[in-house]
Amino acid sequence: MGKVLWASVLIIAAVLTIALYLTLQALPSSQLPPQTASAPSLTSLTTSSATATPSSTSSTTSSATPPSVASPQFLVIKDVVGREVRIRVPVKRAVAMGPGALRLVVYLNATDILVGIEAMEKRPPQGRDYGYVIWAKNLTNLPIVGQGGPDSPVNFEAIMAVKPDVIIMTPVLANTPDEVQQKTGIPVVVVSYGTTGSINFTELFYSLKVLGKVLGREQRAEQLIAYMKSLIADLKARTANITNRPTVYVGAVSFKGGQPFTSTQAGFPPLVLLNTPNVADKYGIKPGAQISWEALLQAQPDVVFVDLGNYMTVLQDYNRSRDLYCSLKAFKEGRVYGILPFNYYWTNIATMFADAYYMGKVLYPNRFADVDPIAKANEIYEVFLGMPLYQKIAKDFGGGFRKLSFPCG
C-alpha cells in the first residue's frame, strides 16, 4: 500500500512539472520572470555600443568595441614657389595676405571661408574689381588680420586669433612664408601671378589649381582657367596677321597711387593680348617709371589711352600745358580714349580683359565689329565675380570706356 501511494505522488508531481513547463513556454518573453531571460551576447553588445548615444552609461558597454572615428584627412600640395605644404582638409577657415591673394579667393567663389581681412580691404572698392564683392557681402566687418600692402609686416597675433586652417599669401610681404608658417603653426600656401602691373598666366593658372584643391573649389578653378584661355585665344585670333598696326601709347598708368600722363610701362598687358606694342616697349619702362616727353614727341602715337584712375591729374596738367599735349598727333586728331584702371593691389585680371576688348574695338574696329565692349565687360565680370560690375566701376571713375575731350583747336 505504501509503495502504491508513493508512486501516485511521483506521478502527480511529474504531471504538474510538465504542465508548468508548458505554461511558461506559452507566455510572451516580456512576461517571463527576470531570472529566465538569456544574457546578451558579445555581438549584440558591440552593436549596441556603436549605436548608443554619448550619454549612455551602461556598464555592459565597457566590454564592447568603441565606435570607429574617421581619421583626419590631409592634402599635400606644392605651392607656386615649390614649397611642399601639408594641409588638413576640408578647409573651413582661411585668411589671405598680401597683394593679390584675396582677389584669387574671391575669383574662386570661396569668400564663405574667410575669417579675417587686411585693413586696406576696408577702403572703398574703387579700383579693385574683387572689392565690390567684399563690400556687397559685408565682409569688411571681418576682423583685421594685418595692415596689407607690399613689404608690410605680418601680424602673427591677429592671424592666430581668428584660427584659420590655412594662410594664403603672396611672396611680397616683409616676412617669408616659412617664417609665417613656423611662428603661427598654420600651413601657408603661396600664390602669385606675375610682378606688379604684369600678368604671368602660367603662375596664375597653377595658383588657381592649387587653391582650388586646397579650398575645395577644383571645378570652379578649372572653369575659370578655361574661360581665360578662351579669351586669350579669341583676342589672339582677332588680331592675328595685321600688317599695319597703329602706334599706341598708354599713359597715366596707375602704380601705388596717382600718376602723371608720362607714367607708363612696357609690356602693357591688354596690348600684349592684342599683339600690339606700346611706345614704352622700346625703352623697357617698368611699372611706376616714366617716359620722357621728348620720346613721346618723337614717337607721335596714333592713339593714346589714359588710365581713368588718373584722368583728373592728366586734365589738370593739360590745362597748364595745352601746347605740349597738342603737339602730339593723337591729341590733335582727337584720338585719346579712357580705359579702366587695373593696377590696384596687384592686377585686376577681370578688368584687364575688359580693357583689352575695348582697346581692340578702338584699334581694330573691323576685327571687333561684333563686340559691344560694355556687354563684354559685364560678361567678364559675371564670370569672374558673379556680378555685372561695369556700370558700378564706370560710375566710380566718372564714366567708363569713352573718347576723352582735349580740345586742340
Side-chain angles (χ1 to χ4, degrees), residues 239 242-250 271 274-279 281 299-305 329-330 333 335 337 359-365 367:
T239 56
I242 296 176
T243 56
N244 187 21
R245 298 181 187 272
T247 304
V248 182
Y249 174 71
V250 184
L271 289 180
L274 294 169
N275 301 303
T276 302
N278 179 14
V279 168
D281 294 352
Q300 285 298 327
D302 301 305
V303 180
V304 166
F305 292 98
K329 181 171 66 171
E333 296 179 356
R335 298 194 50 136
Y337 302 86
M359 295 171 80
K361 182 83 171 183
V362 170
L363 297 172
Y364 311 110
R367 299 290 184 100

Side-chain angles (χ1 to χ4, degrees), residues 43-326:
T43 302
S44 65
L45 277 175
T46 303
T47 303
S48 173
S49 172
T51 58
T53 61
S55 60
S56 174
T57 57
S58 172
S59 60
T60 58
T61 61
S62 61
S63 62
T65 304
S68 61
V69 178
S71 300
Q73 299 295 312
F74 290 90
L75 173 70
V76 178
I77 57 96
K78 279 191 176 181
D79 65 18
V80 76
V81 294
R83 298 170 57 256
E84 190 170 279
V85 187
R86 187 170 182 262
I87 304 157
R88 184 168 180 168
V89 292
V91 169
K92 297 181 179 179
R93 302 171 65 83
V95 294
M97 313 291 297
L102 182 57
R103 182 180 284 107
L104 295 191
V105 174
V106 176
Y107 284 170
L108 288 175
N109 295 339
T111 56
D112 57 304
I113 65 170
L114 292 172
V115 291
I117 61 172
E118 293 175 307
M120 67 83 51
E121 301 292 359
K122 291 182 177 284
R123 300 174 188 172
Q126 185 181 42
R128 305 188 313 281
D129 56 7
Y130 69 97
Y132 292 88
V133 177
I134 297 296
W135 278 66
K137 294 186 176 183
N138 295 318
L139 297 176
T140 53
N141 294 326
L142 289 172
I144 293 176
V145 292
Q147 173 187 341
D151 302 319
S152 61
V154 172
N155 188 328
F156 299 104
E157 293 77 13
I159 292 175
M160 294 171 68
V162 298
K163 301 178 180 178
D165 300 320
V166 67
I167 299 169
I168 302 156
M169 66 177 282
T170 46
V172 293
L173 295 175
N175 306 90
T176 67
D178 288 338
E179 180 187 0
V180 175
Q181 184 166 303
Q182 181 181 14
K183 289 189 175 180
T184 62
I186 300 166
V188 173
V189 176
V190 178
V191 295
S192 181
Y193 42 97
T195 56
T196 307
S198 67
I199 186 78
N200 183 318
F201 284 106
T202 300
E203 289 186 1
L204 172 62
F205 294 162
Y206 186 81
S207 292
L208 286 172
K209 286 182 178 181
V210 168
L211 274 191
K213 288 182 179 293
V214 171
L215 305 180
R217 300 296 195 280
E218 290 181 79
Q219 185 176 354
R220 167 61 180 167
E222 293 299 332
Q223 173 202 19
L224 197 56
I225 291 169
Y227 180 67
M228 282 189 276
K229 287 182 177 179
S230 73
L231 296 180
I232 294 167
D234 182 48
L235 291 166
K236 181 178 179 180
R238 288 177 182 273
T239 56
N241 303 317
I242 296 176
T243 56
N244 187 21
R245 298 181 187 272
T247 304
V248 182
Y249 174 71
V250 184
V253 176
S254 299
F255 185 84
K256 297 183 179 179
Q259 296 292 335
F261 178 69
T262 49
S263 173
T264 188
Q265 69 174 80
F268 190 72
L271 289 180
V272 172
L273 291 169
L274 294 169
N275 301 303
T276 302
N278 179 14
V279 168
D281 294 352
K282 177 181 178 181
Y283 303 97
I285 297 174
K286 296 181 179 180
Q290 297 186 30
I291 193 171
S292 69
W293 268 101
E294 290 75 15
L296 283 174
L297 292 170
Q298 182 180 359
Q300 285 298 327
D302 301 305
V303 180
V304 166
F305 292 98
V306 172
D307 182 327
L308 289 172
N310 298 302
Y311 169 59
M312 293 307 298
T313 299
V314 175
L315 183 59
Q316 291 167 5
D317 192 45
Y318 160 83
N319 288 330
R320 289 190 297 264
S321 308
R322 182 172 302 197
D323 291 344
L324 184 59
Y325 281 86
C326 289

Side-chain angles (χ1 to χ4, degrees), residues 320-353:
R320 289 190 297 264
S321 308
R322 182 172 302 197
D323 291 344
L324 184 59
Y325 281 86
C326 289
S327 297
L328 294 174
K329 181 171 66 171
F331 279 79
K332 285 188 290 188
E333 296 179 356
R335 298 194 50 136
V336 183
Y337 302 86
I339 57 174
L340 300 177
F342 66 84
N343 285 340
Y344 194 134
Y345 211 44
W346 235 246
T347 303
N348 290 296
I349 301 164
T351 301
M352 176 196 69
F353 278 114

